[in-house]
């Protein structure tokens, strides 16, 4: 496990340095599935760098990276890589983005690393060994009520087609919490819940590379992950709820209330 974590950290540091060196330089920006779904030349370069390191170190493992095809042989060991989580921020020169790398064995998350290269903050977890920020243990917040809570969210890339649906959730939390933040990096949102900078996070339709590392970091920091019906959190599912644990039931109640006002829409 130590070797997995060490390699993941090293890859995150190298890719993070690439992001840091390029975030204020001119970039080539392309549109992917929708005009709000972007990819830059730096996303692709960081992707190639990380996948290259992992292939060399673990040639028998499967690699699923956002900007490249699935690679490596069939294997119970699968790496999930987001070389640049927060591409829209990055493309605009907004200083909030990260590298996210996770290793999953069968369906168990083993290792998670999220690196914010501008703040030089590395969040790490390995199953059963807690979560750390720059080597020091982190823990979720003690917030006991939603009214005392700062919650985080994001909007998926189909948001222009389904804005009313997503805004119903936003409105419900807006009137029940101390504040909502939309940072533009789901991987960092999860880490911020893990280290107590925020108390909960919800988002629809994230991808496994967005959440695999952050979910383990939340769990290892004493927090809770689930879908919006209190079911097991699945990195391939379309519902991500993270909390400090204490607020989990209150978050679920609000999500359920909003979903039952529109049971057919999803
Ligand atoms: C996005 C970010 C954002 C979230 C989007 C993700 P990307 O990832 O995590 O916070 O709201 O749903 O797709 O495209 O910047 O890697
Ligand atoms: Ca992402
Ligand atoms: Ca990305």
């Amino acid at each position: 496990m130590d070797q997995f974590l060490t390699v993941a950290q090293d890859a995150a540091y190298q890719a993070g340095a690439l992001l840091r060196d390029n975030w204020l330089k001119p970039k080539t920006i392309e549109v992917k599935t929708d005009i709000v779904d972007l990819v830059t030349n730096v996303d692709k370069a960081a992707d190639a760098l990380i996948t290259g390191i992992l292939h060399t170190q673990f040639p028998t493992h499967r690699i699923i990276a956002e900007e490249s095809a699935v690679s490596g042989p069939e294997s119970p060991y699968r790496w999930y890589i987001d070389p640049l989580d927060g591409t829209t921020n990055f493309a605009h020169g907004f200083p909030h983005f990260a590298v996210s790398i996770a290793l999953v064995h069968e369906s168990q998350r083993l290792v998670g690393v999220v690196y914010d290269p501008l703040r030089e903050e590395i969040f790490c977890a390995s199953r059963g060994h807690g979560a750390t920020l720059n080597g020091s243990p982190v823990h979720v917040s003690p917030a006991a009520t939603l009214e005392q809570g700062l919650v985080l969210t994001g909007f998926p890339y189909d948001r222009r087609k389904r804005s009313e649906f997503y805004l119903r959730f936003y409105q419900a939390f807006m009137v029940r919490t101390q504040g909502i933040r939309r940072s533009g990096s789901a991987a960092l949102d999860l880490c911020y819940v893990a280290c107590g900078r925020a108390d909960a996070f919800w988002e629809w339709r994230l991808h496994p590379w967005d959440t695999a590392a952050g979910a383990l970091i939340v769990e290892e920091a004493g927090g809770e992950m689930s879908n919006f019906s209190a079911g097991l959190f699945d990195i391939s599912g379309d519902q991500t709820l993270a909390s400090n644990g204490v607020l989990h039931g209150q978050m679920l109640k609000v999500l359920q209330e909003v979903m039952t006002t529109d049971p057919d829409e999803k």
Side-chain angles (χ1 to χ4, degrees), residues 32 38 43 66-67 81-87 98 157 209-210:
K32 295 204 285 187
L38 308 177
D43 293 71
E66 183 178 11
E67 310 304 346
I81 299 157
D82 193 335
L84 200 183
D85 186 54
T87 296
Y157 287 119
W209 46 77
D210 298 314

Side-chain angles (χ1 to χ4, degrees), residues 150-165:
L150 180 64
V151 300
L152 308 176
T153 193
F155 300 104
Y157 287 119
D158 64 352
R159 61 182 173 265
R160 296 191 311 162
K161 294 190 198 91
R162 300 159 50 78
S163 59
E164 281 180 29
F165 176 69

Side-chain angles (χ1 to χ4, degrees), residues 113-128:
V113 172
V114 175
Y115 179 48
D116 172 344
L118 297 186
R119 293 184 183 84
E120 297 193 53
E121 290 187 331
I122 192 158
F123 296 87
C124 298
S126 54
R127 176 161 295 278

Side-chain angles (χ1 to χ4, degrees), residues 52-170:
I53 292 169
L54 296 178
H55 275 309
T56 305
Q57 295 290 331
F58 308 113
T60 60
H61 291 186
R62 176 58 58 111
I63 296 180
I64 300 107
E66 183 178 11
E67 310 304 346
S68 48
V70 174
S71 56
E74 275 287 356
S75 167
Y77 286 97
R78 294 188 312 281
W79 291 90
Y80 290 95
I81 299 157
D82 193 335
L84 200 183
D85 186 54
T87 296
T88 305
N89 288 346
F90 185 85
H92 288 264
F94 188 94
H96 190 79
F97 45 82
V99 179
S100 178
I101 301 176
L103 176 63
V104 173
H105 181 255
E106 304 288 0
S107 58
Q108 195 169 61
R109 292 180 279 283
L110 288 188
V111 158
V113 172
V114 175
Y115 179 48
D116 172 344
L118 297 186
R119 293 184 183 84
E120 297 193 53
E121 290 187 331
I122 192 158
F123 296 87
C124 298
S126 54
R127 176 161 295 278
H129 293 89
T132 57
L133 165 54
N134 290 349
S136 300
V138 288
H139 207 267
V140 291
S141 76
T145 64
L146 269 191
E147 289 68 31
Q148 301 170 318
L150 180 64
V151 300
L152 308 176
T153 193
F155 300 104
Y157 287 119
D158 64 352
R159 61 182 173 265
R160 296 191 311 162
K161 294 190 198 91
R162 300 159 50 78
S163 59
E164 281 180 29
F165 176 69
Y166 295 131
L167 285 172
R168 277 200 279 280
F169 294 88
Y170 195 94

